[in-house]
């Protein structure tokens, strides 16, 4: 199959909006990343999604939609359709009409222990609304084959790692860090399959903390944390969680870590301490990879928190490793996950593996995704 033009759509655990990105790729080693856009959710809609996380706890089967989840799924799908339309009409949309859309949807429940993962998103509705084929529901087949259903981005990270520019080319092992609501890492060796797993809370605890204690949705630029200090015993108690002792593959739900251990902290101390938790959890992941990483590349919204990145750099330097942000390597750290979903959509069309035993714990490399074709008039 020749290279296809794909759009990736990602709405992550931060629940702040929709990332859109163009990629031209053959689903293997040919990757040309194109323009991207972010379409934010309004505060009221974000609160609806937050409420849905509670409603979703009642889900037993993947197809269950208790309460208003069915209505919310339709609304999410329509918002994604409008976002695609706006993107294609914008200057960023000059690449032309895509061959396929990779649609993540909004995760409201992820329980790998019981084989249930739910991403709200109606791929057939999105295909009808946009007139473009849509690949969606990319986690389910992995779980059906014994996998955790996450993370899915490693296939894309591995391809990026092998095309890094100088002076970073060849600095294996490379570890890509994605810091969204939950952080995950992809370890890419010089030879062989990537190793990947969730590392712990990324931005989610910080966001919850400043929302609850300060009435703001997130700590922009780490400004709140800059007024505080790290409370080391709180960091230590978070890191005592048995999750950190497990080797990968492993994955987390947004609700697996709470603010209970931060109770009683002052606003800025809490924000700074939780940033340290995020960084230390990532650094701790080096205990579960085959070789000591030489290069860490930070992607996702968390790379904009100078405290997380600063703590990562300090920790990595102590063991002779280097930490850079995506832009240092010519990548777009905001668009990486959306780009990955475009890349995965093309891999799905070709029947190529999306996940591997070393990334999700599936029994064998497996493809995935459901293709929804637009209805012809």
């Amino acid at each position: 199959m020749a290279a296809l033009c794909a759009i990736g759509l990602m709405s992550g655990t931060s629940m702040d909006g929709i990332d859109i990105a163009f990629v031209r790729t053959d689903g293997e080693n040919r990757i040309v990343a194109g323009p991207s856009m972010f379409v934010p959710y309004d505060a009221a809609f974000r609160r609806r999604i937050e409420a849905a996380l509670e409603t979703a706890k009642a889900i037993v089967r993947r197809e269950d939609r208790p309460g208003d989840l069915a209505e919310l799924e339709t609304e999410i799908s329509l918002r994604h359709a409008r976002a695609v339309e706006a993107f294609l009409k914008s200057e960023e949309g000059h690449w032309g009409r895509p061959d396929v859309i990779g649609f993540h949807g909004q995760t409201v429940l992820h329980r790998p222990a019981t084989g249930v993962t739910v991403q709200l998103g109606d791929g057939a509705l999105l295909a009808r609304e946009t007139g473009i084929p849509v690949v969606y529901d990319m986690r389910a087949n992995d779980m059906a084959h014994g996998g955790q259903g996450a993370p899915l981005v490693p296939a894309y990270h591995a391809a990026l790692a092998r095309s890094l520019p100088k002076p970073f080319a060849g600095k294996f092992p490379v570890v890509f860090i994605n810091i969204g609501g939950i952080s995950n890492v992809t370890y890419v060796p010089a030879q062989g399959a990537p190793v990947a797993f969730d590392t712990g809370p990324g931005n989610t605890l910080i966001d919850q903390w400043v929302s609850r204690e300060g009435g703001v949705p997130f700590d922009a630029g780490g400004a709140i944390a800059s007024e505080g200090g790290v409370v080391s015993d709180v960091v230590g108690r978070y890191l005592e969680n048995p999750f950190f002792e497990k080797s990968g593959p492993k994955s987390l739900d947004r609700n697996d870590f709470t603010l209970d251990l931060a109770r009683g902290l002052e606003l800025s101390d809490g924000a700074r301490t939780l940033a340290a938790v995020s960084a230390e959890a990532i650094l701790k992941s080096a205990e579960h990879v085959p070789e000591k990483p030489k290069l860490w590349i930070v992607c996702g919204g968390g790379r904009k928190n100078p405290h997380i990145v600063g703590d990562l750099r300090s920790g990595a330097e102590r063991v002779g490793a280097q930490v850079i942000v995506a832009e240092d390597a010519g990548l777009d750290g905001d668009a990486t996950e959306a780009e990955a979903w475009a890349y995965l959509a093309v891999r799905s069309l070709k029947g190529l593996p999306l996940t591997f035993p070393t990334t999700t714990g599936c029994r064998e490399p497996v493809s995935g995704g459901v293709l929804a074709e637009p209805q012809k008039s």
Side-chain angles (χ1 to χ4, degrees):
M1 182 189 290
L4 297 179
C5 186
I7 280 181
L9 301 174
M10 181 69 197
S11 178
T13 50
S14 295
M15 303 175 293
D16 54 352
I18 304 166
D19 286 307
I20 311 172
F22 258 128
V23 171
R24 186 170 287 115
T25 181
D26 62 356
E28 297 182 83
N29 294 320
R30 292 169 58 194
I31 301 170
V32 179
S36 60
M37 176 186 283
F38 175 67
V39 178
Y41 287 147
D42 56 87
F45 192 66
R46 181 172 174 169
R47 287 194 294 271
R48 282 184 64 190
I49 297 174
E50 289 174 344
L53 300 180
E54 289 300 314
T55 306
K57 290 179 181 179
I59 291 176
V60 177
R61 299 169 302 168
R62 292 184 57 252
E63 61 271 21
D64 292 347
R65 296 293 183 268
D68 67 345
L69 292 190
E71 178 184 343
L72 181 61
E73 183 166 49
T74 297
E75 178 66 17
I76 286 171
S77 305
L78 292 174
R79 283 179 179 248
H80 278 72
R82 301 293 88 80
V84 170
E85 290 172 0
F87 181 57
L88 293 177
K89 291 177 182 177
S90 71
E91 290 184 9
E92 287 80 2
H94 68 268
W95 268 29
R97 195 159 184 82
D99 298 297
V100 66
I101 294 172
F103 180 29
H104 179 272
Q106 183 68 56
T107 298
V108 291
L109 186 73
H110 185 67
R111 289 178 176 162
T114 56
V116 178
T117 186
V118 179
Q119 288 73 46
L120 295 183
D122 185 336
L125 175 58
L126 182 62
R128 290 197 301 272
E129 289 289 314
T130 61
I132 301 167
V134 173
V135 176
Y136 68 107
D137 199 15
M138 293 195 217
R139 300 188 188 274
N141 195 46
D142 175 78
M143 296 184 87
H145 287 79
Q148 296 266 323
L152 262 66
V153 180
Y156 185 58
H157 283 162
L160 290 179
R162 305 195 191 286
S163 58
L164 291 173
K166 294 180 179 180
F168 309 112
K171 279 197 171 185
F172 294 102
V174 177
V175 175
F176 276 84
I177 310 166
N178 180 63
I179 309 176
I182 299 297
S183 295
N184 56 68
V185 292
T186 302
Y187 167 94
V188 185
Q191 300 290 333
V195 174
F197 48 89
D198 286 351
T199 64
N203 299 318
T204 186
L205 291 182
I206 304 169
D207 292 349
Q208 290 175 42
W209 177 259
V210 298
S211 176
R212 191 181 79 180
E213 303 295 324
V216 294
F218 60 95
D219 185 10
I224 295 172
S226 67
E227 301 291 326
V230 176
V231 181
S232 298
D233 66 327
V234 172
V235 176
R237 289 203 298 272
Y238 271 107
L239 295 181
E240 288 172 359
N241 190 299
F243 174 82
F244 299 114
E245 300 306 318
K246 298 177 183 177
S247 59
K250 55 183 179 178
S251 61
L252 287 166
D253 183 75
R254 186 177 184 273
N255 296 310
D256 286 340
F257 285 82
T258 71
L259 295 175
D260 289 350
L261 296 178
R263 187 179 292 114
L265 296 183
E266 188 271 332
L267 171 63
S268 58
D269 286 346
R272 181 65 186 90
T273 298
L274 293 170
V277 170
S278 176
E280 290 299 323
I282 292 165
L283 291 168
K284 200 168 177 60
S285 70
E287 299 173 4
H288 302 297
V289 296
E291 295 180 53
K292 184 171 66 176
K294 291 183 180 177
L295 177 66
W296 303 75
I297 302 175
V298 189
C299 306
R303 81 191 190 289
K304 298 177 182 177
N305 186 312
H307 310 289
I308 297 177
V309 175
D311 289 349
L312 285 171
R313 284 196 169 121
S314 296
E317 286 170 2
R318 288 196 293 269
V319 293
Q322 182 180 11
V323 171
I324 63 172
V325 295
E327 285 71 16
D328 294 332
L331 306 174
D332 184 342
D334 285 326
T336 306
E337 277 202 289
E339 290 169 6
W341 243 253
Y343 178 79
L344 292 171
V346 176
R347 286 184 71 85
S348 176
L349 291 178
K350 296 180 72 171
L352 293 170
L354 307 188
T355 57
F356 306 85
T358 53
T359 61
T360 65
C362 52
R363 290 184 290 272
E364 59 190 11
V366 291
S367 192
V370 176
L371 176 63
E373 296 276 8
Q375 292 179 339
K376 295 180 180 179
S377 57

